[in-house]
Amino acid sequence: MNKVILLRIGELYLKGKNKGFFEKTLLKNIKKVLMPFDCNVVKISGRYLVRDFDEMDYNQIINKLAKVFGLTSLSLATEFDTSKENIENFLKEFKTNAKTFRVSVKRADKTFPVASNEYERYLGGIVLSANNHLKVKLKDAELELVVDIRENGKTYVLTESIPCACGMPTGTSGRGLVLLSGGIDSPVSAYMMAKRGLELVGLHFHSFPYTSAQAKEKVCKLAKILTDYTMELKLICCPFTEIQEEIHKNCAPEFMITIMRRIMMRIAKIVCDKYYAKAIITGESLAQVASQTIESINVTNDAQSTYPVFRPCIGMDKSEIIEISRKIGTFETSILPYEDCCTVFLPKNPVIKPNLEKVLKEEAKLDIDLLIEKAISKLEIIEI
Ligand code: ATP
Ligand code: MG
């Protein structure tokens, strides 16, 4: 008899031609988060099993596994060789404080000699004899005792299912570049796109010395929290000070933010090329601030058209974004009071509905290619 952790996977993506690729990537991700623990992971039909772990590590292990995209739920289970005798002996010893219960038999192994319904009733009788206070309740019982008889000659008995992160295994949708500020929204966007299988690279613009070393550290900390979900996250830091000073010196102040955002997009495009990312991700939400109107977004999008820009927070209220940020553990770090580069040289009256022609006219006052080239030559790469 062994204690094992049974991992369940989404059915949807396992039906297509890519089944092997999804399964291999998911197994790699599971093994990666379990690296600090002494244990083994194996695949059985449609599930994974974690074996040989130290029961002292169980809580830590399930915390890690619950964040692996592609897993839908997990259960601590007792595993033994399938036989009527083994199943019944185990249930004779089963004790619980619950008041109501039911037994559910899943008979994937069709060679097992008793039908599920009939066996549920029989096993229920055994559990009742061992726990005098218990009552059977077929619907909404306090305890559901699942007896899962699999094709691999093993039976698994479990009582609880813990929900996992769902989504697609990280890395199965390719790579995206997330523009990571120190705010609340961009880490949430990173999480949402990683959930759809994107492996992420982060790009952060800093305006040292206008923004502090702590502001950058805060972004590193956010990136570190995100790695629980994204496995790895290379963070690329791009100096933005000179670009901002030049815009401030040469362009009409109301276009400051619009031009900054367009230059961020151009740099993001070059970083995508360099790191083989195929999409840009931002934390924008429609109408949240002046730079997030349809007109502003259109003018920003015009700066590069090579890669799609994913904005998973676009239709969300701030309170909804905050809810996710609390759930994924980035909120407390995001609200630390360090300034973002976007707050440096902030104009009093930024244009809310920028006109592309006017923006282009203002931009023509800058040597943008040279500014971008210089910034790119000073990229700093931080392995989180
Ligand atoms: P956030 O909470 O993510 O900072 P925000 O509501 O403060 O977002 P903005 O400051 O307008 O909004 O930024 C919109 C998006 O632009 C951010 O979500 C992020 O994707 C990107 N962005 C802003 N500042 C930076 C930065 N310094 N480095 C990288 N990306 C940035
Ligand atoms: Mg911000």
Side-chain angles (χ1 to χ4, degrees), residues 7-10 13-14 19-33 41 43 47-48 65 68-72 166-170 172 231:
L7 310 178
R8 298 179 192 86
I9 49 186
Y13 57 83
L14 294 178
K19 182 175 166 174
F21 169 63
F22 281 109
E23 287 183 344
K24 236 168 77 186
T25 310
L26 183 54
L27 184 60
K28 190 180 86 194
N29 294 348
I30 294 169
K31 284 186 172 169
K32 188 152 199 174
V33 301
V41 190
K43 176 142 197 327
R47 280 148 201 237
Y48 297 88
L65 290 171
V68 173
F69 290 127
L71 294 178
T72 53
C166 300
M168 309 296 253
T170 299
T172 52
M231 307 290 136

mmCIF file of all heavy atoms in Angstrom, residues 7-10 13-14 19-33 41 43 47-48 65 68-72 166-170 172 231:
data_model
loop_
_atom_site.group_PDB
_atom_site.id
_atom_site.type_symbol
_atom_site.label_atom_id
_atom_site.label_comp_id
_atom_site.label_asym_id
_atom_site.label_seq_id
_atom_site.Cartn_x
_atom_site.Cartn_y
_atom_site.Cartn_z
ATOM 1 N N LEU A 7 -2.766 13.162 -10.169
ATOM 2 C CA LEU A 7 -2.928 14.463 -10.842
ATOM 3 C C LEU A 7 -3.836 14.299 -12.048
ATOM 4 O O LEU A 7 -3.591 13.434 -12.895
ATOM 5 C CB LEU A 7 -1.566 14.982 -11.306
ATOM 6 C CG LEU A 7 -0.437 15.000 -10.267
ATOM 7 C CD1 LEU A 7 0.850 15.497 -10.909
ATOM 8 C CD2 LEU A 7 -0.821 15.900 -9.106
ATOM 9 N N ARG A 8 -4.866 15.123 -12.126
ATOM 10 C CA ARG A 8 -5.798 15.012 -13.258
ATOM 11 C C ARG A 8 -5.541 16.129 -14.262
ATOM 12 O O ARG A 8 -5.192 17.243 -13.875
ATOM 13 C CB ARG A 8 -7.244 15.090 -12.769
ATOM 14 C CG ARG A 8 -7.582 13.954 -11.833
ATOM 15 C CD ARG A 8 -9.006 14.032 -11.331
ATOM 16 N NE ARG A 8 -9.164 13.094 -10.227
ATOM 17 C CZ ARG A 8 -8.878 13.383 -8.968
ATOM 18 N NH1 ARG A 8 -8.467 14.590 -8.645
ATOM 19 N NH2 ARG A 8 -9.019 12.474 -8.021
ATOM 20 N N ILE A 9 -5.763 15.802 -15.535
ATOM 21 C CA ILE A 9 -5.474 16.777 -16.580
ATOM 22 C C ILE A 9 -6.726 17.085 -17.379
ATOM 23 O O ILE A 9 -7.655 16.280 -17.431
ATOM 24 C CB ILE A 9 -4.347 16.269 -17.515
ATOM 25 C CG1 ILE A 9 -4.632 14.841 -17.979
ATOM 26 C CG2 ILE A 9 -3.028 16.319 -16.802
ATOM 27 C CD1 ILE A 9 -3.525 14.236 -18.771
ATOM 28 N N GLY A 10 -6.735 18.297 -17.991
ATOM 29 C CA GLY A 10 -7.866 18.678 -18.828
ATOM 30 C C GLY A 10 -7.991 17.711 -19.990
ATOM 31 O O GLY A 10 -6.993 17.274 -20.545
ATOM 32 N N TYR A 13 -7.569 19.266 -24.703
ATOM 33 C CA TYR A 13 -6.462 19.343 -25.644
ATOM 34 C C TYR A 13 -5.781 18.005 -25.842
ATOM 35 O O TYR A 13 -4.826 17.883 -26.559
ATOM 36 C CB TYR A 13 -5.456 20.404 -25.183
ATOM 37 C CG TYR A 13 -4.920 20.175 -23.806
ATOM 38 C CD1 TYR A 13 -3.860 19.307 -23.598
ATOM 39 C CD2 TYR A 13 -5.483 20.824 -22.715
ATOM 40 C CE1 TYR A 13 -3.372 19.085 -22.338
ATOM 41 C CE2 TYR A 13 -5.000 20.608 -21.445
ATOM 42 C CZ TYR A 13 -3.941 19.724 -21.265
ATOM 43 O OH TYR A 13 -3.476 19.501 -20.003
ATOM 44 N N LEU A 14 -6.290 16.986 -25.157
ATOM 45 C CA LEU A 14 -5.631 15.692 -25.298
ATOM 46 C C LEU A 14 -6.207 14.887 -26.451
ATOM 47 O O LEU A 14 -5.780 13.790 -26.724
ATOM 48 C CB LEU A 14 -5.761 14.903 -23.995
ATOM 49 C CG LEU A 14 -5.020 15.535 -22.836
ATOM 50 C CD1 LEU A 14 -5.214 14.732 -21.562
ATOM 51 C CD2 LEU A 14 -3.537 15.645 -23.138
ATOM 52 N N LYS A 19 -1.413 15.624 -28.792
ATOM 53 C CA LYS A 19 -1.508 15.000 -27.475
ATOM 54 C C LYS A 19 -0.133 14.732 -26.841
ATOM 55 O O LYS A 19 0.133 15.121 -25.697
ATOM 56 C CB LYS A 19 -2.302 13.700 -27.609
ATOM 57 C CG LYS A 19 -2.524 12.975 -26.321
ATOM 58 C CD LYS A 19 -3.420 11.777 -26.558
ATOM 59 C CE LYS A 19 -3.354 10.862 -25.348
ATOM 60 N NZ LYS A 19 -4.245 9.762 -25.390
ATOM 61 N N GLY A 20 0.762 14.106 -27.627
ATOM 62 C CA GLY A 20 2.083 13.736 -27.102
ATOM 63 C C GLY A 20 2.856 14.958 -26.641
ATOM 64 O O GLY A 20 3.478 14.958 -25.573
ATOM 65 N N PHE A 21 2.792 16.012 -27.454
ATOM 66 C CA PHE A 21 3.517 17.243 -27.139
ATOM 67 C C PHE A 21 3.003 17.872 -25.838
ATOM 68 O O PHE A 21 3.771 18.266 -24.958
ATOM 69 C CB PHE A 21 3.366 18.212 -28.318
ATOM 70 C CG PHE A 21 3.835 19.609 -28.044
ATOM 71 C CD1 PHE A 21 5.171 19.855 -27.740
ATOM 72 C CD2 PHE A 21 2.946 20.676 -28.106
ATOM 73 C CE1 PHE A 21 5.611 21.154 -27.491
ATOM 74 C CE2 PHE A 21 3.372 21.972 -27.853
ATOM 75 C CZ PHE A 21 4.718 22.206 -27.551
ATOM 76 N N PHE A 22 1.692 17.941 -25.682
ATOM 77 C CA PHE A 22 1.101 18.507 -24.463
ATOM 78 C C PHE A 22 1.499 17.694 -23.244
ATOM 79 O O PHE A 22 1.874 18.229 -22.205
ATOM 80 C CB PHE A 22 -0.426 18.563 -24.577
ATOM 81 C CG PHE A 22 -0.910 19.712 -25.404
ATOM 82 C CD1 PHE A 22 -1.459 19.503 -26.656
ATOM 83 C CD2 PHE A 22 -0.815 21.011 -24.936
ATOM 84 C CE1 PHE A 22 -1.893 20.568 -27.420
ATOM 85 C CE2 PHE A 22 -1.252 22.084 -25.691
ATOM 86 C CZ PHE A 22 -1.796 21.858 -26.941
ATOM 87 N N GLU A 23 1.387 16.383 -23.397
ATOM 88 C CA GLU A 23 1.674 15.509 -22.254
ATOM 89 C C GLU A 23 3.134 15.593 -21.836
ATOM 90 O O GLU A 23 3.453 15.619 -20.657
ATOM 91 C CB GLU A 23 1.314 14.062 -22.591
ATOM 92 C CG GLU A 23 -0.182 13.849 -22.633
ATOM 93 C CD GLU A 23 -0.567 12.408 -22.894
ATOM 94 O OE1 GLU A 23 0.297 11.618 -23.350
ATOM 95 O OE2 GLU A 23 -1.736 12.068 -22.655
ATOM 96 N N LYS A 24 4.026 15.652 -22.840
ATOM 97 C CA LYS A 24 5.463 15.717 -22.545
ATOM 98 C C LYS A 24 5.804 17.041 -21.852
ATOM 99 O O LYS A 24 6.561 17.075 -20.883
ATOM 100 C CB LYS A 24 6.256 15.589 -23.855
ATOM 101 C CG LYS A 24 7.234 14.438 -23.799
ATOM 102 C CD LYS A 24 7.835 14.073 -25.109
ATOM 103 C CE LYS A 24 8.935 14.993 -25.588
ATOM 104 N NZ LYS A 24 9.369 14.647 -26.942
ATOM 105 N N THR A 25 5.229 18.120 -22.368
ATOM 106 C CA THR A 25 5.512 19.441 -21.774
ATOM 107 C C THR A 25 4.984 19.496 -20.347
ATOM 108 O O THR A 25 5.652 20.002 -19.447
ATOM 109 C CB THR A 25 4.856 20.552 -22.623
ATOM 110 O OG1 THR A 25 5.218 20.346 -23.974
ATOM 111 C CG2 THR A 25 5.322 21.932 -22.187
ATOM 112 N N LEU A 26 3.777 18.986 -20.151
ATOM 113 C CA LEU A 26 3.186 19.007 -18.805
ATOM 114 C C LEU A 26 4.050 18.190 -17.828
ATOM 115 O O LEU A 26 4.335 18.639 -16.715
ATOM 116 C CB LEU A 26 1.748 18.472 -18.856
ATOM 117 C CG LEU A 26 0.971 18.503 -17.549
ATOM 118 C CD1 LEU A 26 0.960 19.884 -16.920
ATOM 119 C CD2 LEU A 26 -0.483 18.054 -17.779
ATOM 120 N N LEU A 27 4.495 17.027 -18.287
ATOM 121 C CA LEU A 27 5.330 16.186 -17.421
ATOM 122 C C LEU A 27 6.629 16.921 -17.065
ATOM 123 O O LEU A 27 7.071 16.906 -15.911
ATOM 124 C CB LEU A 27 5.642 14.851 -18.116
ATOM 125 C CG LEU A 27 6.422 13.837 -17.287
ATOM 126 C CD1 LEU A 27 5.669 13.450 -16.028
ATOM 127 C CD2 LEU A 27 6.745 12.584 -18.100
ATOM 128 N N LYS A 28 7.203 17.591 -18.065
ATOM 129 C CA LYS A 28 8.451 18.356 -17.826
ATOM 130 C C LYS A 28 8.189 19.441 -16.774
ATOM 131 O O LYS A 28 8.974 19.646 -15.856
ATOM 132 C CB LYS A 28 8.896 18.984 -19.158
ATOM 133 C CG LYS A 28 10.285 19.586 -19.109
ATOM 134 C CD LYS A 28 10.659 20.189 -20.442
ATOM 135 C CE LYS A 28 10.139 21.611 -20.503
ATOM 136 N NZ LYS A 28 10.094 22.267 -21.729
ATOM 137 N N ASN A 29 7.057 20.148 -16.893
ATOM 138 C CA ASN A 29 6.732 21.224 -15.946
ATOM 139 C C ASN A 29 6.493 20.671 -14.537
ATOM 140 O O ASN A 29 6.910 21.268 -13.551
ATOM 141 C CB ASN A 29 5.500 22.002 -16.425
ATOM 142 C CG ASN A 29 5.775 22.762 -17.718
ATOM 143 O OD1 ASN A 29 6.919 22.889 -18.130
ATOM 144 N ND2 ASN A 29 4.727 23.260 -18.364
ATOM 145 N N ILE A 30 5.803 19.529 -14.470
ATOM 146 C CA ILE A 30 5.544 18.912 -13.157
ATOM 147 C C ILE A 30 6.881 18.546 -12.506
ATOM 148 O O ILE A 30 7.137 18.848 -11.344
ATOM 149 C CB ILE A 30 4.653 17.652 -13.299
ATOM 150 C CG1 ILE A 30 3.257 18.037 -13.779
ATOM 151 C CG2 ILE A 30 4.568 16.892 -11.987
ATOM 152 C CD1 ILE A 30 2.402 16.843 -14.206
ATOM 153 N N LYS A 31 7.755 17.920 -13.305
ATOM 154 C CA LYS A 31 9.056 17.494 -12.762
ATOM 155 C C LYS A 31 9.858 18.701 -12.299
ATOM 156 O O LYS A 31 10.552 18.650 -11.295
ATOM 157 C CB LYS A 31 9.842 16.715 -13.820
ATOM 158 C CG LYS A 31 9.306 15.309 -13.984
ATOM 159 C CD LYS A 31 10.168 14.491 -14.912
ATOM 160 C CE LYS A 31 9.712 13.040 -14.887
ATOM 161 N NZ LYS A 31 10.323 12.240 -15.932
ATOM 162 N N LYS A 32 9.731 19.782 -13.047
ATOM 163 C CA LYS A 32 10.494 20.993 -12.700
ATOM 164 C C LYS A 32 10.071 21.537 -11.326
ATOM 165 O O LYS A 32 10.917 21.847 -10.504
ATOM 166 C CB LYS A 32 10.247 22.039 -13.781
ATOM 167 C CG LYS A 32 11.116 23.210 -13.606
ATOM 168 C CD LYS A 32 11.372 23.861 -14.931
ATOM 169 C CE LYS A 32 12.604 24.717 -14.763
ATOM 170 N NZ LYS A 32 13.050 25.284 -15.967
ATOM 171 N N VAL A 33 8.756 21.648 -11.075
ATOM 172 C CA VAL A 33 8.345 22.209 -9.783
ATOM 173 C C VAL A 33 8.619 21.235 -8.632
ATOM 174 O O VAL A 33 8.730 21.656 -7.491
ATOM 175 C CB VAL A 33 6.858 22.670 -9.736
ATOM 176 C CG1 VAL A 33 6.573 23.727 -10.767
ATOM 177 C CG2 VAL A 33 5.899 21.522 -9.836
ATOM 178 N N VAL A 41 7.708 10.995 -10.532
ATOM 179 C CA VAL A 41 6.453 11.260 -11.235
ATOM 180 C C VAL A 41 6.340 10.276 -12.384
ATOM 181 O O VAL A 41 7.302 10.084 -13.138
ATOM 182 C CB VAL A 41 6.420 12.680 -11.845
ATOM 183 C CG1 VAL A 41 5.019 13.012 -12.341
ATOM 184 C CG2 VAL A 41 6.883 13.716 -10.851
ATOM 185 N N LYS A 43 3.512 8.622 -15.531
ATOM 186 C CA LYS A 43 2.246 8.834 -16.220
ATOM 187 C C LYS A 43 1.496 7.512 -16.240
ATOM 188 O O LYS A 43 2.075 6.470 -16.526
ATOM 189 C CB LYS A 43 2.566 9.312 -17.629
ATOM 190 C CG LYS A 43 1.373 9.467 -18.476
ATOM 191 C CD LYS A 43 1.389 10.621 -19.404
ATOM 192 C CE LYS A 43 -0.035 10.859 -19.854
ATOM 193 N NZ LYS A 43 -0.845 9.646 -19.973
ATOM 194 N N ARG A 47 -3.596 10.282 -16.585
ATOM 195 C CA ARG A 47 -3.259 10.937 -15.314
ATOM 196 C C ARG A 47 -1.768 10.860 -15.057
ATOM 197 O O ARG A 47 -1.054 10.121 -15.715
ATOM 198 C CB ARG A 47 -3.941 10.199 -14.149
ATOM 199 C CG ARG A 47 -5.371 10.552 -13.973
ATOM 200 C CD ARG A 47 -6.133 9.377 -13.460
ATOM 201 N NE ARG A 47 -7.542 9.592 -13.773
ATOM 202 C CZ ARG A 47 -8.488 9.598 -12.870
ATOM 203 N NH1 ARG A 47 -8.200 9.363 -11.629
ATOM 204 N NH2 ARG A 47 -9.735 9.816 -13.224
ATOM 205 N N TYR A 48 -1.351 11.613 -14.058
ATOM 206 C CA TYR A 48 0.022 11.473 -13.577
ATOM 207 C C TYR A 48 -0.029 11.074 -12.113
ATOM 208 O O TYR A 48 -1.001 11.376 -11.414
ATOM 209 C CB TYR A 48 0.776 12.802 -13.697
ATOM 210 C CG TYR A 48 0.918 13.268 -15.121
ATOM 211 C CD1 TYR A 48 -0.068 14.058 -15.710
ATOM 212 C CD2 TYR A 48 2.035 12.927 -15.873
ATOM 213 C CE1 TYR A 48 0.055 14.484 -17.018
ATOM 214 C CE2 TYR A 48 2.171 13.344 -17.185
ATOM 215 C CZ TYR A 48 1.171 14.129 -17.755
ATOM 216 O OH TYR A 48 1.286 14.540 -19.047
ATOM 217 N N LEU A 65 2.093 22.038 -7.010
ATOM 218 C CA LEU A 65 1.365 21.407 -8.112
ATOM 219 C C LEU A 65 0.077 22.154 -8.453
ATOM 220 O O LEU A 65 -0.330 22.193 -9.613
ATOM 221 C CB LEU A 65 1.046 19.943 -7.765
ATOM 222 C CG LEU A 65 2.249 19.007 -7.721
ATOM 223 C CD1 LEU A 65 1.843 17.655 -7.151
ATOM 224 C CD2 LEU A 65 2.846 18.833 -9.119
ATOM 225 N N VAL A 68 0.469 24.520 -11.346
ATOM 226 C CA VAL A 68 0.961 24.073 -12.663
ATOM 227 C C VAL A 68 -0.200 24.089 -13.664
ATOM 228 O O VAL A 68 -1.187 23.367 -13.506
ATOM 229 C CB VAL A 68 1.566 22.650 -12.565
ATOM 230 C CG1 VAL A 68 1.922 22.113 -13.945
ATOM 231 C CG2 VAL A 68 2.807 22.665 -11.669
ATOM 232 N N PHE A 69 -0.067 24.939 -14.686
ATOM 233 C CA PHE A 69 -1.133 25.014 -15.694
ATOM 234 C C PHE A 69 -1.230 23.692 -16.468
ATOM 235 O O PHE A 69 -0.215 23.108 -16.824
ATOM 236 C CB PHE A 69 -0.868 26.162 -16.669
ATOM 237 C CG PHE A 69 -1.037 27.508 -16.040
ATOM 238 C CD1 PHE A 69 -0.043 28.465 -16.113
ATOM 239 C CD2 PHE A 69 -2.213 27.823 -15.366
ATOM 240 C CE1 PHE A 69 -0.204 29.712 -15.531
ATOM 241 C CE2 PHE A 69 -2.384 29.062 -14.769
ATOM 242 C CZ PHE A 69 -1.379 30.006 -14.858
ATOM 243 N N GLY A 70 -2.461 23.287 -16.718
ATOM 244 C CA GLY A 70 -2.692 22.018 -17.422
ATOM 245 C C GLY A 70 -3.260 20.970 -16.468
ATOM 246 O O GLY A 70 -3.912 20.029 -16.895
ATOM 247 N N LEU A 71 -3.011 21.138 -15.155
ATOM 248 C CA LEU A 71 -3.596 20.212 -14.174
ATOM 249 C C LEU A 71 -4.934 20.787 -13.722
ATOM 250 O O LEU A 71 -5.054 21.985 -13.465
ATOM 251 C CB LEU A 71 -2.672 20.063 -12.963
ATOM 252 C CG LEU A 71 -1.318 19.401 -13.229
ATOM 253 C CD1 LEU A 71 -0.486 19.360 -11.952
ATOM 254 C CD2 LEU A 71 -1.501 17.989 -13.792
ATOM 255 N N THR A 72 -5.948 19.940 -13.637
ATOM 256 C CA THR A 72 -7.267 20.434 -13.228
ATOM 257 C C THR A 72 -7.535 20.191 -11.740
ATOM 258 O O THR A 72 -8.164 21.004 -11.090
ATOM 259 C CB THR A 72 -8.385 19.768 -14.062
ATOM 260 O OG1 THR A 72 -8.205 18.362 -13.986
ATOM 261 C CG2 THR A 72 -8.331 20.209 -15.507
ATOM 262 N N CYS A 166 -5.786 24.702 -13.837
ATOM 263 C CA CYS A 166 -6.385 24.473 -15.166
ATOM 264 C C CYS A 166 -5.533 25.123 -16.260
ATOM 265 O O CYS A 166 -4.340 25.250 -16.102
ATOM 266 C CB CYS A 166 -7.831 24.956 -15.202
ATOM 267 S SG CYS A 166 -8.866 24.110 -14.003
ATOM 268 N N GLY A 167 -6.138 25.557 -17.362
ATOM 269 C CA GLY A 167 -5.372 26.179 -18.441
ATOM 270 C C GLY A 167 -4.594 25.170 -19.271
ATOM 271 O O GLY A 167 -4.862 23.963 -19.239
ATOM 272 N N MET A 168 -3.634 25.684 -20.026
ATOM 273 C CA MET A 168 -2.803 24.867 -20.910
ATOM 274 C C MET A 168 -1.380 24.814 -20.362
ATOM 275 O O MET A 168 -0.908 25.806 -19.815
ATOM 276 C CB MET A 168 -2.738 25.495 -22.313
ATOM 277 C CG MET A 168 -4.085 25.823 -22.904
ATOM 278 S SD MET A 168 -5.000 24.332 -23.147
ATOM 279 C CE MET A 168 -4.896 24.208 -24.905
ATOM 280 N N PRO A 169 -0.670 23.689 -20.552
ATOM 281 C CA PRO A 169 0.696 23.614 -20.011
ATOM 282 C C PRO A 169 1.573 24.748 -20.551
ATOM 283 O O PRO A 169 1.588 25.005 -21.760
ATOM 284 C CB PRO A 169 1.191 22.251 -20.513
ATOM 285 C CG PRO A 169 -0.032 21.466 -20.796
ATOM 286 C CD PRO A 169 -1.078 22.447 -21.229
ATOM 287 N N THR A 170 2.271 25.394 -19.623
ATOM 288 C CA THR A 170 3.136 26.512 -20.006
ATOM 289 C C THR A 170 4.155 26.070 -21.049
ATOM 290 O O THR A 170 4.843 25.069 -20.862
ATOM 291 C CB THR A 170 3.862 27.054 -18.754
ATOM 292 O OG1 THR A 170 2.859 27.506 -17.859
ATOM 293 C CG2 THR A 170 4.800 28.204 -19.092
ATOM 294 N N THR A 172 3.259 25.418 -24.263
ATOM 295 C CA THR A 172 2.625 24.732 -25.396
ATOM 296 C C THR A 172 2.033 25.713 -26.409
ATOM 297 O O THR A 172 1.618 25.307 -27.497
ATOM 298 C CB THR A 172 1.513 23.762 -24.929
ATOM 299 O OG1 THR A 172 0.611 24.469 -24.079
ATOM 300 C CG2 THR A 172 2.079 22.572 -24.190
ATOM 301 N N MET A 231 7.085 28.819 -14.650
ATOM 302 C CA MET A 231 8.305 28.004 -14.607
ATOM 303 C C MET A 231 9.543 28.902 -14.608
ATOM 304 O O MET A 231 10.194 29.038 -13.620
ATOM 305 C CB MET A 231 8.389 27.014 -15.787
ATOM 306 C CG MET A 231 7.185 26.148 -15.953
ATOM 307 S SD MET A 231 7.084 24.960 -14.610
ATOM 308 C CE MET A 231 5.367 25.078 -14.242
#
